Amino acid sequence: TGPSSAQRVVTVQEGPLYRTEGSHVTLWCKVSGYQGPAEQNFQWSIYLPSAPEREVQIVSTVDPSFPYAIYTQRVRGRGIFVERLRGDAVLLHITELQERDAGQYECHTPNTDERYFGSYSAKMNLSVIPNTLLASMAPQALTLMEGDAVELTCEVSKSTAQHTHLSVGWYLLQGAGKHHPEEILTLSKDFILKPGPSYEQRFLEGDVQLNKVGNTTYKLIIRALKPSDQGQLYCEGAEWIEDPDQTWKDISRKQTERTSLVVVSQGRELSVDLAAAEPSLSEGDTLQLNCVVGAPKSSSRHFQVTWLLNELEVARVDSHGVLTWEEEYEERAKLGQLRAFKPSNAVYVLTIYEVGLKDKGTYQCSVSEMKTPGDFHSIQTDVSSGIQVNVKPIEIHMRLSVSTSTPRVRVGEALILRCEVQGATGPVSLRWWHLSPQQHRRALVAAMERDGSRSLGSAYQDGGRRGSLRLEKESSGTFTLVIPSTLGEEDGGQYGCEATQWARGRNWTAKGEVAVTVSSMGLSLHATLRSRIPTVSYGQSFDLFCQVNASYPLEKVPASVRWLFQPSLSMGPLQELVQVLPSGTVVWGTAQPRFQGKAQLEKADTSFRLHMNSALPANEGTYQCEVEVWRRNILPLGQPAASTTSNAVAIKVVLPESKLQVATEDSSVETASSNAAIECRIVFAQNNSQFAVTWYLLPPLADARPLQIIRANYNSILEYGPEFSSPAQKSRFLSQRTSRNTFQLQILSANLGDQGRYYCVVEEWLWLVDGWYKLGEGTSGRTMLKFKLPEAEPRVDKTNHSISAREGEEVTLPCRLQGALLPGTTLSATWFQARSDGRDSALVTVHGDGTVEHPGQLPAARLFLRRPSAGDFGLTLSSVQSGDAGVYFCQLQRWQWHSEGKGWDLRASARSGYTQLTTTPPESTVLSRICSSPPLLNFILYLPLVLILLLALAAFCWYCKFRK
């Protein structure tokens, strides 16, 4: 143990480390300055990048239950384990690094000290990078003579994002039992050539070289080959990275495939070795014979090799390398069945592909040495070697069975036939035949050759009658024939299957038959549509059943069903919802796209079912089904043989019940020419509802109709009523939501014309998957808006007047203040034209400072406030028109300057009497001409016996003259 005064320190391998996926990784950890036993325990954990704050336990030296579930299996299988180097130091092993192993590793030592003092854990980062190292070499089988040279090339590359180095080495593996390869020559990561111990002297002499001949290409050259060079040669690439502690670590190694090298010793003057890869063969196998000539300095000598079978010549390779076949073998050689070649001056190869029984026997390789090429006098002859090759004949015992899943069908239905072949050792060709009971001769239906090509018999090539016949190979020995649609009873009878296998010029055939009956049928249909629940609640599923009654089994013929739908509020024809074609293809209509994904379609025997999940209001309406059937399952189907339309079924979808409650108490609000707020309060509603609020005004007149002021829908989009749509009104009337359950109507710069009763209508809206739906509404109580001014009304003439004016003339409407204007005050006046809906229309306003405002629709050029005196606010209307007829009045307001200089305050207000204005056409009537004539008027004054009617007319004319 460490000294008692020491401080515990845990040290872990410095990071970050980069290691490749799939590699074996070790991380060291040690502890010092500890108290307690000499053998300390260690626990390893990881903090993953996806959850850097959460500890995931991996492995412990003391607690077998320490690993979390994701590491338990790897720890138990020794894929992750801890190696103890000494009592206070360990190595964490991860034998096969995975991408998910990247993260921050923590090494923790449980406390054995008398008190906590120092550090008990340390952390480091490990990054897992892709393994991009590649090493490749084409495998070869080389036989060379002692003293020859060999060149081998391998490709080594990487594409790692981090800075890494490569090393490339060549190795020799000798003997099956030797596990450790012998190093030949290596180009290190530092670009230094390092030979193996056995090749160091030959490297210094230049007989062993390693050259880099491209970006990724490395070539090994071994000159003056020795028997000790014989064995398996391969190339190994390694990728190295520098760790933070400045040491280099190999993070990946890749070995190439191996090249077999045979070095023939030159210890004998001339020898021949003949070998076969496999001397015992079956018909169809490949025979390869290798003939190796052993001779010193073979590369500079001249040999002629003769191949013999049962002492009869097969082929000859002369000293120039020219190949000559015996006549009986020439044709097979041209077809590529035979091949003889010379890889080197000492190696000769004979290959026979797909051997037959005639190829068995004793093969010999006879070698003769010539003085010079072309010299027919040999130095040595009849140096040969032989080998016995056996070829076993092929025995094929094929068995065949034929079956059908449709032994009895009706006209138009499909036939499905199956042929199973057993015992075949290779590809087979297949023929289907039909023997009709009427024709008593068989006809070819379809054929499949060994290469998979298909053909149809002449009677079955018209795809429009029976449909497109399908001949399929389901597995190596199972074949299926499908005739989509039978034409008539003549398609019944015997169907035969005939399979043939060809091998080595021979063939084997197996046959089988099955009987099928085809009967005719009649067609009639009737469909009934029903629903178990015609009224469903929102979100509830419902089913529609289209029951079809047919005079034949419906499931045996092509049938389609079309579902029709008409929304509840639509008056048009039914729309196509979806159609299921005979092929099973589902085609959705475009009129109701929201049904797709919600509807499930099923067919069971003679019933079609439409299942709707989670009913929505959009699913409410009338449903209907249409069914069509065809006689035969052929393409194109053509006209259906029968069709029917079901009765209509109405489905009603009940929305969720509205729980909306709106406060209905009446109230009043008083204002003194300032802003006013009218409140609308929701007492209760569902939490997920949205609300639309519409504000209304009931003008003071008893029979006035409500006027829509403003509507805010559930998206807070505003819409003003026609009487409040002018820019001036829009700027004064605002709707806002002050809390979840409270709405306010803000009236800015309220005036006397705004008096009346206000109320709101609240609509409850709910989002139901596919849109917003109104569940209900509630109307609030009435709120009376009143004006309360601090002073008594100004004295205004409240006499009602009736004035008639001819169109085109000028008329003045009276409005007069009675009494003097108080000092420090001023008056403003607004003229109104009364309207039947109670919402009087302001025409013109004259302010206290003399400015004139025209808020009304009458042209300003026709309205004058001439004011002959300070209290006279008469309105002069020029060019009277017929549309000017109506009731007029003025509103006077008295204003006083604020004592603190903040502006004018409204102190009082009063309304004048009403003036009824009537208009007459501009043309003078007979009566008006009489009234306007002075001579006739004098005549009436002097005649006491004038009729009472004339007196009345005269009085009226006098009134007219007086008015002028």
Side-chain angles (χ1 to χ4, degrees), residues 489-517:
E489 296 180 356
E490 64 273 13
D491 283 343
Q494 296 292 123
Y495 284 85
C497 175
E498 183 179 289
T500 302
Q501 179 179 354
W502 297 81
R504 316 298 173 258
R506 296 156 54 193
N507 64 79
W508 293 262
T509 301
K511 301 178 182 180
E513 291 184 349
V514 67
V516 171
T517 302

Side-chain angles (χ1 to χ4, degrees), residues 63-123:
D63 184 5
S65 64
F66 182 78
Y68 278 10
I70 61 172
Y71 287 103
T72 301
Q73 192 66 30
R74 296 172 68 186
V75 171
R76 289 178 180 172
R78 298 283 290 175
I80 299 177
F81 64 93
V82 177
E83 176 190 1
R84 187 177 290 277
L85 302 178
R86 58 179 185 268
D88 55 5
V90 297
L91 271 181
L92 172 66
H93 288 260
I94 304 176
T95 59
E96 188 172 349
L97 191 64
Q98 301 178 9
E99 185 179 3
R100 61 174 179 167
D101 293 332
Q104 186 180 50
Y105 283 75
E106 180 181 44
C107 175
H108 173 75
T109 59
N111 182 35
T112 60
D113 307 333
E114 294 179 356
R115 61 189 180 94
Y116 281 93
F117 183 53
S119 66
Y120 290 83
S121 66
K123 295 180 179 179

Side-chain angles (χ1 to χ4, degrees), residues 686-743:
Q686 301 181 69
N687 291 333
N688 55 346
S689 297
Q690 295 291 337
F691 305 102
V693 178
T694 307
W695 290 94
Y696 291 91
L697 167 63
L698 278 171
L701 294 181
D703 58 348
R705 64 177 180 85
L707 304 178
Q708 179 183 327
I709 304 171
I710 187 174
R711 169 183 167 84
N713 71 3
Y714 50 80
N715 285 328
S716 300
I717 297 175
L718 302 181
E719 177 186 349
Y720 285 84
E723 292 82 1
F724 294 84
S725 59
S726 67
Q729 296 287 62
K730 287 183 178 180
S731 65
R732 291 181 57 240
F733 289 87
L734 304 174
S735 177
Q736 64 180 20
R737 189 172 187 173
T738 58
S739 69
R740 168 164 175 78
N741 294 326
T742 306
F743 298 86

